[in-house]
Each structure stands twice: as structure tokens, then as C-alpha cells.
Amino acid sequence: MQHGKYRFIVGFLALPVIVYAVFVISPFVQAFQISLTDWSGLVGTAKFVGFENFEKLWHNEDFWNALWHNVYMLIAVPIVTLGLGLFFAFMLNVGGKRRKNEVITGVAGSKFYRFVFFFPQVISITIIAVIWFNIYNPDPQDGMLNSLLGAVGLDGWQNAWLGEKSLALLCIMAVMIWSHVGFYVVLFSAAMASIPRDIYEAALLDGAGRFPTFFRITLPLLWDTVQTGWVYMGIIALDGFALVQIMSVNMGGPDGATDVMPLRLYLTAFRDSQFGYASAMGVAMLIVTMTFAVLTLRFARRERIEF
């Protein structure tokens, strides 16, 4: 009977596991295998070079420049995105004025605001990049941002934006945050809706304000959701390829100010025809991503709060 039970379970799991191994695990193994060769991607043969590509990568200043940009994004983008998502979700669900027979209410029109916040999620990232590329256009006549600043008398704030080395990466990060914050507003709103209203009512009736209620009740009860969102946003921050490729000056410019690891990998493989070296970059990206995910899940772990 016991063996029949296991055969039944294996019968259901066998096909998904095989598909996962073929389409997910196998490419990672192949990438590591290719990283140990000098394959150009243009011929069928390749010479085994061992860890030569990784040694070369260690001394590559362009790769380290791209990596530090990703680390910078890894710190800033999740914090700002999740922070804004929590703030807007809390205001939409608990931030309204008290009404008769209701101690806690969301702001008026909260359903409409959720739709507005979520709208960027239904737009292709390519379209988002093109839209914001034109918004950042430095021409005061064609660029919406500079045109708006000129219209309100802030001509001194007009800038080249994506063409300014000190601002280019910040501009791209702002678009990344804008395009994802709506998803977390909806996600956190759904999570907050599952919190019993009696908890909020008891806290507010005891005299707790909005901020103590958020930090002592809402955030601890949503911590598992926040932790998962942090990992997800961290992986997005370690990417950024589409936005950088479309929005940056000469793909990664000016002067490497917006270069990121995925873009460096793409240029190495398809422009320079160094697939072995590019695969080594891919393996390095995998190590960085897995390290980030493990550390986040390890140090952000908290005792689960039941309600």
C-alpha cells in the first residue's frame, strides 16, 4: 500500500521535474560548461581553457563598474519601491477619515487609485523605456520634463538627464521604481485586507496613531510578504537590461555611467563574439543573485506572527 502511494506521487511529479530539469537546470549547467571554453559562438568547436575566463573577469574594470552599479541598484531600488508600496497600500486601506460606525477606512476612491498604480504593470517594459526616454529628452521643446520645468519657471533645473553622468543611473532607477511600485501597492493591499479589522480598531481606540499602528501592527503582520517582495525586487534590480539598453546613451553611457552586468554580458556575447567569456559573466551573475537571495531570506527571517 505504501509503495503504491509513492508511485502515485512520483507519477504526478515526474513530468514537471523532468521539464524543470531540461528547461531550467540544464541551461545553467551548459552555461558553466561554456564558461570553461573560448567558444566564440560562431563556430562549432571550442577549446577548453579552464578558469581562464573567470581570471580575466576578475581583472576586468568594466565588469566591476557594471557590478557596482547593480549593487547600488540592489540597495536603493527595493528599499524605495517596497517603502512606497507599503505607504500607499496603508493609506489606501487605513488612511481615510473616520466615518460613522467605522473606526478605520481607506481613502475615498481607493479602488480607482489601485487601478492607476497598477496600470504600468500592463505596459510592456519596452514601451515604458521608450516613453521615459522621450520624457527625459533634453530638448526643451520635445522633452516633457524639461518642457514642464520651463513652463513653471524652473529653467535652472533643466538638465540633460540621461546625458548627465551623475544623473543617468538615477533617472533609470526612478523609472524602474515607477514601473513596479504599483504591483506592490496591490500586493500589500491584498495582504492588509486579510488582517482582522478588530486589531486595527483596538489599536486606534487605545489611542495609537497612524505611524505606530503601521510599524507595530501592519508591518510585522506583512513581514513574510515584504521579505518575498524584497527578493523579487532585488532580482529585478540585478537585471535592468531592457531599460539600460533602450534609455542609456550608447548602451551603458555616458562614459559607462549606466553600465550593468546583463548589458555587459550581452555586448560581450553578441557584439564581441566571446560566448565563453560572456558565460563566465552569467555564472558570476548567478552567484551574486543566489547570494543575495540566501542572505535576504536568512537575515530577514522573523518568527511568524499568527492572527
Side-chain angles (χ1 to χ4, degrees), residues 74-175:
L74 183 61
I75 296 172
V77 171
I79 291 176
V80 177
T81 304
L82 298 181
L84 290 175
L86 283 167
F87 172 76
F88 288 130
F90 185 74
M91 294 304 295
L92 290 176
N93 288 272
V94 188
K97 295 181 179 179
R98 296 185 182 182
R99 302 170 189 168
K100 186 178 180 180
N101 300 326
E102 292 187 44
V103 178
I104 59 167
T105 58
V107 297
S110 58
K111 292 183 179 179
F112 171 76
Y113 290 129
R114 288 192 189 98
F115 169 78
V116 172
F117 283 128
F118 191 76
F119 183 72
Q121 288 294 308
V122 303
I123 305 176
S124 165
I125 190 66
T126 304
I127 296 175
I128 289 175
V130 172
I131 290 174
W132 279 93
F133 178 80
N134 286 280
I135 291 175
Y136 285 132
N137 190 325
D139 190 335
Q141 302 298 323
D142 299 326
M144 182 182 296
L145 183 54
N146 278 345
S147 177
L148 180 62
L149 291 173
V152 296
L154 297 175
D155 302 73
W157 288 26
Q158 292 178 337
N159 214 307
W161 306 115
L162 296 173
E164 183 67 36
K165 187 175 180 179
S166 60
L167 295 175
L169 186 61
L170 293 175
C171 291
I172 293 176
M173 288 168 56
V175 177

Side-chain angles (χ1 to χ4, degrees), residues 178-189:
W178 174 86
S179 63
H180 288 93
V181 69
F183 172 80
Y184 291 99
V185 171
V186 175
L187 177 66
F188 293 144
S189 293

Side-chain angles (χ1 to χ4, degrees), residues 29-47:
V29 175
Q30 293 179 47
F32 181 73
Q33 179 185 3
I34 295 172
S35 70
L36 302 177
T37 69
D38 64 351
W39 188 42
S40 67
L42 301 176
V43 295
T45 58
K47 185 177 71 174

Side-chain angles (χ1 to χ4, degrees), residues 21 81 91 93 107 112 147 160 175 188 194 203 209 221 228 235 237 239 248 251 267 269-270 284 289 295-297 303:
T81 304
M91 294 304 295
N93 288 272
V107 297
F112 171 76
S147 177
V175 177
F188 293 144
S194 67
L221 292 177
T228 303
I235 294 173
D239 184 8
S248 64
M251 289 199 293
L267 294 175
F270 296 101
T289 304
L295 291 178
T296 299
L297 294 174
E303 185 177 347

